Amino acid sequence: PAVNIQGIKNKLFNLNKFTEWFLTAIIEAAVLTFVSYYAFGFFGISQNTGMKTDYLASGTMIYFCVVLIVNLRILNFSYTFNTLLLLSLALMILLFFLVILGLSSVNSLPITGLFTMLFGSSVFWAISIFQVAFLHLINVAHMRFERLIEQINFKQIREQTIKQPAQGIIIEFEKPK
């Protein structure tokens, strides 16, 4: 059928699509890195010891945002929502919190106390939610634009197949007597 032509001609996954995904990842990584780094430098969440945050705090924020963005992206690409999908996404976020909590409770690591400092800060939550929402809205707008283009292309393909008769073997059946 005409619908399958896109897959056969590699229109769904090709070098252009790969390059688009790669550039999207670079742009999103740059936004997360610079916003997280400069937000902590500007607002500066301080620890109980009075020390300013460092690269570990901004790195944890970036990682937290990446976990949320990836889970939202999985939800966007899913056509069906079942309990197993939603449970696995919630489990990924919960495991992130548990790993950071576990690592920040070990006294010999440089991130000791980072969990309570970061996740107890309103600045952390505000910046994280802003970044995730901003990048998610851009992603949703991009996906909607691509789907609109696909619908226009599909209508053109369908109109072409209606105008052109099917080429191939024509089988005629005899009428029963």
Side-chain angles (χ1 to χ4, degrees):
V3 178
N4 295 335
I5 290 174
Q6 289 182 342
I8 294 170
K9 292 185 177 181
N10 291 330
K11 290 185 178 181
L12 299 176
F13 186 74
N14 52 29
L15 185 61
N16 291 339
K17 186 58 89 173
F18 175 78
T19 306
E20 177 186 328
W21 289 346
F22 188 74
L23 291 176
T24 301
I26 289 174
I27 292 169
E28 288 182 357
V31 168
L32 287 174
T33 301
F34 290 118
V35 170
S36 297
Y37 181 74
Y38 287 113
F40 276 115
F42 185 73
F43 294 112
I45 303 170
S46 62
Q47 300 175 352
N48 295 337
T49 61
M51 294 172 31
K52 288 277 195 174
T53 55
D54 57 356
Y55 69 95
L56 294 171
S58 58
T60 304
M61 176 189 246
I62 293 167
Y63 189 45
F64 175 66
C65 291
V66 166
V67 167
L68 294 179
I69 288 169
V70 166
N71 284 322
L72 287 172
R73 189 89 23 106
I74 290 170
L75 281 175
N76 277 347
F77 284 121
S78 299
Y79 289 105
T80 58
F81 299 101
N82 55 27
T83 54
L84 184 60
L85 173 70
L86 298 176
L87 184 66
S88 64
L89 295 178
L91 186 63
M92 278 193 272
I93 295 170
L94 177 67
L95 284 175
F96 169 80
F97 282 112
L98 291 176
V99 166
I100 298 299
L101 177 64
L103 289 174
S104 70
S105 63
V106 176
N107 288 333
S108 62
L109 294 176
I111 65 169
T112 302
L114 187 69
F115 183 85
T116 54
M117 180 192 65
L118 281 183
F119 295 107
S121 168
S122 59
V123 172
F124 169 82
W125 287 106
I127 295 169
S128 296
I129 290 171
F130 171 75
Q131 288 186 103
V132 171
F134 176 72
L135 293 174
H136 181 65
L137 287 176
I138 289 174
N139 181 40
V140 168
H142 182 256
M143 285 179 60
R144 297 294 178 204
F145 181 72
E146 280 186 339
R147 286 185 184 167
L148 178 67
I149 298 298
E150 287 174 10
Q151 288 175 353
I152 292 170
N153 289 339
F154 178 74
K155 285 180 184 178
Q156 290 174 352
I157 291 171
R158 188 172 55 191
E159 289 173 1
Q160 287 175 357
T161 49
I162 290 172
K163 289 178 185 175
Q164 298 173 352
Q167 298 176 355
I169 301 172
I170 299 175
I171 300 173
E172 294 182 12
F173 295 99
E174 293 181 12
K175 292 181 183 178
K177 295 181 181 180

Tab-separated table of all heavy atoms in Angstrom, residues 19-51:
chain	number	residue	atom	x	y	z
A	19	THR	N	20.797	13.182	11.813
A	19	THR	CA	21.444	14.476	12.037
A	19	THR	C	20.530	15.405	12.829
A	19	THR	O	20.990	16.122	13.723
A	19	THR	CB	21.823	15.119	10.686
A	19	THR	OG1	22.608	14.195	9.946
A	19	THR	CG2	22.580	16.398	10.879
A	20	GLU	N	19.253	15.380	12.525
A	20	GLU	CA	18.282	16.195	13.271
A	20	GLU	C	18.254	15.802	14.739
A	20	GLU	O	18.273	16.664	15.621
A	20	GLU	CB	16.902	16.020	12.642
A	20	GLU	CG	15.792	16.740	13.347
A	20	GLU	CD	14.443	16.408	12.752
A	20	GLU	OE1	14.357	16.161	11.533
A	20	GLU	OE2	13.465	16.380	13.521
A	21	TRP	N	18.211	14.508	15.026
A	21	TRP	CA	18.211	14.042	16.417
A	21	TRP	C	19.508	14.420	17.118
A	21	TRP	O	19.513	14.798	18.281
A	21	TRP	CB	18.013	12.536	16.479
A	21	TRP	CG	16.642	12.067	16.119
A	21	TRP	CD1	15.508	12.830	15.999
A	21	TRP	CD2	16.258	10.739	15.831
A	21	TRP	NE1	14.452	12.038	15.639
A	21	TRP	CE2	14.878	10.742	15.536
A	21	TRP	CE3	16.932	9.539	15.784
A	21	TRP	CZ2	14.177	9.601	15.211
A	21	TRP	CZ3	16.226	8.403	15.466
A	21	TRP	CH2	14.869	8.439	15.188
A	22	PHE	N	20.626	14.285	16.412
A	22	PHE	CA	21.934	14.598	16.981
A	22	PHE	C	22.032	16.085	17.329
A	22	PHE	O	22.470	16.453	18.420
A	22	PHE	CB	23.032	14.186	15.996
A	22	PHE	CG	24.406	14.284	16.551
A	22	PHE	CD1	24.875	13.359	17.469
A	22	PHE	CD2	25.255	15.315	16.157
A	22	PHE	CE1	26.151	13.444	17.988
A	22	PHE	CE2	26.526	15.415	16.673
A	22	PHE	CZ	26.980	14.478	17.589
A	23	LEU	N	21.605	16.940	16.420
A	23	LEU	CA	21.637	18.381	16.680
A	23	LEU	C	20.674	18.771	17.805
A	23	LEU	O	20.993	19.644	18.619
A	23	LEU	CB	21.315	19.155	15.400
A	23	LEU	CG	22.381	19.091	14.314
A	23	LEU	CD1	21.906	19.804	13.053
A	23	LEU	CD2	23.687	19.677	14.795
A	24	THR	N	19.526	18.128	17.850
A	24	THR	CA	18.581	18.374	18.942
A	24	THR	C	19.207	18.021	20.275
A	24	THR	O	19.076	18.770	21.253
A	24	THR	CB	17.284	17.564	18.725
A	24	THR	OG1	16.703	17.942	17.484
A	24	THR	CG2	16.294	17.795	19.844
A	25	ALA	N	19.908	16.899	20.328
A	25	ALA	CA	20.555	16.484	21.571
A	25	ALA	C	21.646	17.464	21.990
A	25	ALA	O	21.775	17.797	23.177
A	25	ALA	CB	21.141	15.081	21.405
A	26	ILE	N	22.407	17.955	21.030
A	26	ILE	CA	23.466	18.917	21.353
A	26	ILE	C	22.863	20.221	21.881
A	26	ILE	O	23.337	20.782	22.878
A	26	ILE	CB	24.363	19.176	20.123
A	26	ILE	CG1	25.206	17.940	19.844
A	26	ILE	CG2	25.233	20.396	20.321
A	26	ILE	CD1	26.012	18.025	18.568
A	27	ILE	N	21.811	20.703	21.243
A	27	ILE	CA	21.174	21.952	21.680
A	27	ILE	C	20.573	21.796	23.070
A	27	ILE	O	20.735	22.657	23.942
A	27	ILE	CB	20.118	22.404	20.652
A	27	ILE	CG1	20.817	22.837	19.362
A	27	ILE	CG2	19.251	23.525	21.207
A	27	ILE	CD1	19.888	23.042	18.192
A	28	GLU	N	19.876	20.676	23.304
A	28	GLU	CA	19.270	20.458	24.617
A	28	GLU	C	20.342	20.312	25.694
A	28	GLU	O	20.178	20.816	26.805
A	28	GLU	CB	18.360	19.235	24.588
A	28	GLU	CG	17.083	19.482	23.823
A	28	GLU	CD	16.155	18.296	23.820
A	28	GLU	OE1	16.516	17.226	24.377
A	28	GLU	OE2	15.063	18.417	23.263
A	29	ALA	N	21.430	19.626	25.384
A	29	ALA	CA	22.520	19.490	26.355
A	29	ALA	C	23.141	20.840	26.668
A	29	ALA	O	23.462	21.135	27.831
A	29	ALA	CB	23.580	18.527	25.820
A	30	ALA	N	23.297	21.675	25.661
A	30	ALA	CA	23.860	23.009	25.888
A	30	ALA	C	22.936	23.854	26.757
A	30	ALA	O	23.395	24.535	27.681
A	30	ALA	CB	24.123	23.706	24.550
A	31	VAL	N	21.640	23.797	26.489
A	31	VAL	CA	20.681	24.557	27.301
A	31	VAL	C	20.724	24.080	28.751
A	31	VAL	O	20.818	24.890	29.682
A	31	VAL	CB	19.247	24.427	26.726
A	31	VAL	CG1	18.209	24.951	27.705
A	31	VAL	CG2	19.138	25.170	25.407
A	32	LEU	N	20.674	22.767	28.951
A	32	LEU	CA	20.698	22.232	30.316
A	32	LEU	C	21.995	22.597	31.036
A	32	LEU	O	21.977	22.986	32.204
A	32	LEU	CB	20.539	20.710	30.295
A	32	LEU	CG	19.162	20.175	29.961
A	32	LEU	CD1	19.204	18.658	29.828
A	32	LEU	CD2	18.158	20.581	31.010
A	33	THR	N	23.112	22.483	30.341
A	33	THR	CA	24.401	22.755	30.969
A	33	THR	C	24.545	24.211	31.360
A	33	THR	O	24.858	24.532	32.510
A	33	THR	CB	25.548	22.344	30.022
A	33	THR	OG1	25.410	20.952	29.727
A	33	THR	CG2	26.889	22.596	30.662
A	34	PHE	N	24.307	25.102	30.423
A	34	PHE	CA	24.535	26.522	30.699
A	34	PHE	C	23.514	27.102	31.674
A	34	PHE	O	23.879	27.866	32.565
A	34	PHE	CB	24.577	27.325	29.404
A	34	PHE	CG	25.798	27.035	28.595
A	34	PHE	CD1	25.696	26.490	27.327
A	34	PHE	CD2	27.060	27.282	29.107
A	34	PHE	CE1	26.823	26.212	26.585
A	34	PHE	CE2	28.199	27.003	28.369
A	34	PHE	CZ	28.079	26.467	27.105
A	35	VAL	N	22.243	26.714	31.532
A	35	VAL	CA	21.235	27.233	32.460
A	35	VAL	C	21.511	26.720	33.873
A	35	VAL	O	21.458	27.488	34.834
A	35	VAL	CB	19.805	26.872	31.995
A	35	VAL	CG1	18.783	27.183	33.068
A	35	VAL	CG2	19.468	27.620	30.717
A	36	SER	N	21.814	25.440	34.007
A	36	SER	CA	22.090	24.884	35.335
A	36	SER	C	23.328	25.512	35.955
A	36	SER	O	23.333	25.897	37.120
A	36	SER	CB	22.271	23.367	35.260
A	36	SER	OG	21.100	22.752	34.827
A	37	TYR	N	24.380	25.607	35.174
A	37	TYR	CA	25.631	26.153	35.693
A	37	TYR	C	25.484	27.617	36.103
A	37	TYR	O	25.874	28.020	37.205
A	37	TYR	CB	26.731	25.999	34.648
A	37	TYR	CG	28.069	26.518	35.107
A	37	TYR	CD1	28.831	25.810	36.033
A	37	TYR	CD2	28.563	27.720	34.630
A	37	TYR	CE1	30.048	26.289	36.463
A	37	TYR	CE2	29.789	28.212	35.050
A	37	TYR	CZ	30.522	27.491	35.972
A	37	TYR	OH	31.718	27.970	36.396
A	38	TYR	N	24.904	28.428	35.234
A	38	TYR	CA	24.785	29.856	35.533
A	38	TYR	C	23.709	30.148	36.567
A	38	TYR	O	23.819	31.115	37.314
A	38	TYR	CB	24.570	30.661	34.257
A	38	TYR	CG	25.826	30.755	33.446
A	38	TYR	CD1	25.933	30.131	32.213
A	38	TYR	CD2	26.935	31.440	33.936
A	38	TYR	CE1	27.098	30.203	31.484
A	38	TYR	CE2	28.108	31.511	33.210
A	38	TYR	CZ	28.186	30.888	31.989
A	38	TYR	OH	29.354	30.955	31.281
A	39	ALA	N	22.680	29.316	36.634
A	39	ALA	CA	21.656	29.515	37.657
A	39	ALA	C	22.241	29.273	39.045
A	39	ALA	O	21.977	30.034	39.980
A	39	ALA	CB	20.472	28.587	37.413
A	40	PHE	N	23.065	28.256	39.163
A	40	PHE	CA	23.683	28.011	40.458
A	40	PHE	C	24.724	29.078	40.783
A	40	PHE	O	24.902	29.451	41.927
A	40	PHE	CB	24.326	26.621	40.518
A	40	PHE	CG	23.353	25.550	40.878
A	40	PHE	CD1	23.038	24.553	39.988
A	40	PHE	CD2	22.734	25.553	42.114
A	40	PHE	CE1	22.133	23.572	40.321
A	40	PHE	CE2	21.825	24.571	42.452
A	40	PHE	CZ	21.518	23.587	41.554
A	41	GLY	N	25.397	29.575	39.776
A	41	GLY	CA	26.354	30.645	40.016
A	41	GLY	C	25.671	31.944	40.403
A	41	GLY	O	26.170	32.712	41.223
A	42	PHE	N	24.494	32.181	39.821
A	42	PHE	CA	23.782	33.426	40.090
A	42	PHE	C	23.007	33.362	41.406
A	42	PHE	O	23.118	34.235	42.251
A	42	PHE	CB	22.826	33.732	38.933
A	42	PHE	CG	22.124	35.046	39.059
A	42	PHE	CD1	22.806	36.230	38.851
A	42	PHE	CD2	20.786	35.097	39.397
A	42	PHE	CE1	22.168	37.447	38.966
A	42	PHE	CE2	20.139	36.304	39.517
A	42	PHE	CZ	20.827	37.484	39.299
A	43	PHE	N	22.209	32.293	41.587
A	43	PHE	CA	21.395	32.174	42.797
A	43	PHE	C	22.181	31.583	43.957
A	43	PHE	O	21.983	31.959	45.097
A	43	PHE	CB	20.145	31.323	42.524
A	43	PHE	CG	19.199	31.972	41.577
A	43	PHE	CD1	18.999	31.448	40.314
A	43	PHE	CD2	18.507	33.110	41.932
A	43	PHE	CE1	18.124	32.038	39.433
A	43	PHE	CE2	17.632	33.717	41.056
A	43	PHE	CZ	17.438	33.175	39.801
A	44	GLY	N	23.040	30.605	43.650
A	44	GLY	CA	23.933	30.015	44.637
A	44	GLY	C	23.255	29.428	45.853
A	44	GLY	O	23.095	30.064	46.866
A	45	ILE	N	22.828	28.199	45.752
A	45	ILE	CA	22.268	27.498	46.894
A	45	ILE	C	23.411	27.163	47.833
A	45	ILE	O	24.393	26.543	47.434
A	45	ILE	CB	21.557	26.204	46.461
A	45	ILE	CG1	20.461	26.519	45.447
A	45	ILE	CG2	21.005	25.461	47.645
A	45	ILE	CD1	19.874	25.303	44.802
A	46	SER	N	23.309	27.564	49.067
A	46	SER	CA	24.412	27.287	49.989
A	46	SER	C	24.083	26.074	50.851
A	46	SER	O	22.938	25.802	51.160
A	46	SER	CB	24.686	28.494	50.877
A	46	SER	OG	23.556	28.781	51.660
A	47	GLN	N	25.120	25.364	51.216
A	47	GLN	CA	24.964	24.200	52.083
A	47	GLN	C	24.872	24.662	53.526
A	47	GLN	O	24.981	25.850	53.833
A	47	GLN	CB	26.160	23.265	51.913
A	47	GLN	CG	26.335	22.760	50.505
A	47	GLN	CD	27.597	21.943	50.369
A	47	GLN	OE1	28.415	21.881	51.281
A	47	GLN	NE2	27.765	21.317	49.226
A	48	ASN	N	24.682	23.721	54.430
A	48	ASN	CA	24.648	24.045	55.859
A	48	ASN	C	25.987	24.606	56.339
A	48	ASN	O	26.046	25.366	57.297
A	48	ASN	CB	24.293	22.801	56.678
A	48	ASN	CG	22.896	22.315	56.373
A	48	ASN	OD1	22.056	23.091	55.916
A	48	ASN	ND2	22.644	21.047	56.604
A	49	THR	N	27.051	24.233	55.637
A	49	THR	CA	28.379	24.698	56.017
A	49	THR	C	28.662	26.093	55.505
A	49	THR	O	29.695	26.666	55.816
A	49	THR	CB	29.455	23.736	55.467
A	49	THR	OG1	29.353	23.720	54.039
A	49	THR	CG2	29.275	22.348	56.020
A	50	GLY	N	27.771	26.646	54.691
A	50	GLY	CA	27.964	27.972	54.145
A	50	GLY	C	28.718	27.963	52.833
A	50	GLY	O	28.953	29.000	52.236
A	51	MET	N	29.075	26.780	52.326
A	51	MET	CA	29.796	26.687	51.058
A	51	MET	C	28.816	26.844	49.898
A	51	MET	O	27.672	26.448	49.982
A	51	MET	CB	30.500	25.323	50.952
A	51	MET	CG	31.603	25.133	51.968
A	51	MET	SD	32.279	23.451	52.016
A	51	MET	CE	32.118	22.849	50.378
